[in-house]
Amino acid sequence: MNAMSARTPSAGTSAGTAHRSGFACFVGRPNAGKSTLTNALVGQKVAITSNRPQTTRHTVRGIVHRPDAQLVLVDTPGLHKPRTLLGERLNDVVRTTWAEVDVIGFCLPADQKLGPGDTYIARELAAIKKTPKVAIVTKTDLVDSQQLARQLMAVDRLGRDLDMEWAEIVPVSAVGGDQVALLADLLVPLLPEGPQLYAEGDLTDEPEQVMVAELIREAALEGVRDELPHSIAVVVEEMIPREGRPADRPLLDVHANIYIERPSQKGIVIGPKGARLKEVGTRSRHQIEALLGTPVFLDLHVKVAKDWQRDPKQLRKLGF
């Protein structure tokens, strides 16, 4: 059963209390700050962030626990005009998610003028009549108060031009933590009444293996700047505890493959004398250890999956 339709009470939910629970998703152009906002609300890293567009490929759910509510955040890829089969599949993921959530948050960065991409998404949102929509002006730490005021008015006008009413317009800075708690306060009343959907300690329902692969991909993207924006995919082949280790000194062996599309890209990811790949391994290993709470031995290999973004069979193999 899809978790979005599962409304089974968890232990500790008493009947008769007006507890609210439901799903909210953040949409917006690529790199509008959706993943950073998800992490800020949850209070821990559950979505990978990068300063390059199109980082998020999996629908990551972050879970915000409050005494009065449980807010489940669904992080979708940025909606964009697709150029590849991967792009089309990512857009399908976005639209399917929109149809299933209780509230939609539209992220618009404060430091960028509204453009055709924003209008394109707003038009799609205007067609969804029943779901409340909250406009979230992100990255407010990057602008002064005058520029922020202009952006808030532009967002208000965008809604009116499309005959769409924003339930709220909220400026936030996920990096600075400004108004993040207020955003949660405004989203909660838009959720239906209902019991907890997840156990108290859960922060995400993303499988650990997928999260580990995402952390490796984030580290790999960090090093290659503009050379390989979307050509990197990561598959964790196995995660197994090392045999024969004492109970107080466990070690987890993680074997993962980094896939690129062309042989010429291999050198970019590996770097001179393997320096870049070593850096990717070190950076992601620290993150994986923090996520899993155990020492990790990370074994990385770089492989070529020719033109995988355009090949249905390869996309399936790589989890899309």
Side-chain angles (χ1 to χ4, degrees), residues 7-18:
R7 293 218 167 238
T8 48
S10 61
T13 306
S14 59
T17 55

Side-chain angles (χ1 to χ4, degrees), residues 89-101:
R89 293 219 173 148
L90 293 177
N91 277 358
D92 289 344
V93 168
V94 178
R95 291 195 184 94
T96 306
T97 305
W98 291 3
E100 295 178 325
V101 295

Side-chain angles (χ1 to χ4, degrees), residues 150-269:
R150 281 196 295 273
Q151 188 73 329
L152 291 169
M153 287 191 290
V155 170
D156 179 50
R157 202 161 44 242
L158 177 66
R160 277 182 298 161
D161 288 349
L162 295 170
D163 204 20
M164 171 173 61
E165 193 178 338
W166 301 118
E168 304 280 354
I169 300 177
V170 198
V172 301
S173 166
V175 172
D178 296 338
Q179 305 230 105
V180 173
L182 172 67
L183 175 62
D185 289 343
L186 295 171
L187 291 173
V188 163
L190 301 171
L191 302 177
E193 287 185 14
Q196 282 183 294
L197 302 169
Y198 293 90
E200 197 58 53
D202 291 354
L203 295 178
T204 179
D205 68 355
E206 190 73 284
E208 280 181 349
Q209 223 153 304
V210 173
M211 292 183 76
V212 167
E214 289 288 86
L215 289 171
I216 296 167
R217 194 165 73 89
E218 178 179 36
L221 278 172
E222 205 52 51
V224 295
R225 296 289 161 236
D226 304 315
E227 296 148 298
L228 305 175
H230 323 315
S231 300
I232 293 176
V234 175
V235 175
V236 173
E237 297 297 337
E238 60 178 5
M239 289 174 25
I240 40 174
R242 179 82 58 93
E243 283 181 16
R245 298 280 295 191
D248 60 339
R249 287 180 50 234
L251 185 67
L252 186 70
D253 286 316
V254 177
H255 300 278
N257 292 327
I258 298 174
Y259 288 95
I260 36 94
E261 293 194 291
R262 291 187 292 284
S264 61
Q265 297 171 335
K266 215 168 176 175
I268 298 173
V269 176

Side-chain angles (χ1 to χ4, degrees), residues 42 45-46 59-63 65 198 201-207 211 291:
V42 174
K45 187 170 194 151
V46 291
T59 304
V60 177
R61 294 191 179 93
I63 304 160
H65 299 273
Y198 293 90
D202 291 354
L203 295 178
T204 179
D205 68 355
E206 190 73 284
M211 292 183 76
L291 174 75

Side-chain angles (χ1 to χ4, degrees), residues 249-300:
R249 287 180 50 234
L251 185 67
L252 186 70
D253 286 316
V254 177
H255 300 278
N257 292 327
I258 298 174
Y259 288 95
I260 36 94
E261 293 194 291
R262 291 187 292 284
S264 61
Q265 297 171 335
K266 215 168 176 175
I268 298 173
V269 176
I270 294 170
K273 294 186 178 170
R276 188 173 268 161
L277 186 62
K278 195 174 174 187
E279 200 181 306
V280 169
T282 305
R283 186 182 293 142
S284 54
R285 183 172 54 79
H286 290 318
Q287 299 257 24
I288 295 163
E289 289 177 339
L291 174 75
L292 302 178
T294 184
V296 164
F297 172 79
L298 181 58
D299 177 39
L300 288 181

Side-chain angles (χ1 to χ4, degrees), residues 20-26 37 41 64 66 68-74 102-106 132-136 167-168 170 172 179-192:
R20 292 182 182 273
S21 60
F23 294 84
C25 84
F26 295 145
L37 190 55
L41 280 158
V64 182
R66 296 166 45 123
D68 60 333
Q70 194 173 66
L71 174 65
V72 184
L73 301 168
V74 184
D102 301 298
V103 57
I104 297 171
F106 184 15
K133 296 164 248 334
V134 173
I136 305 165
E168 304 280 354
V170 198
V172 301
Q179 305 230 105
V180 173
L182 172 67
L183 175 62
D185 289 343
L186 295 171
L187 291 173
V188 163
L190 301 171
L191 302 177

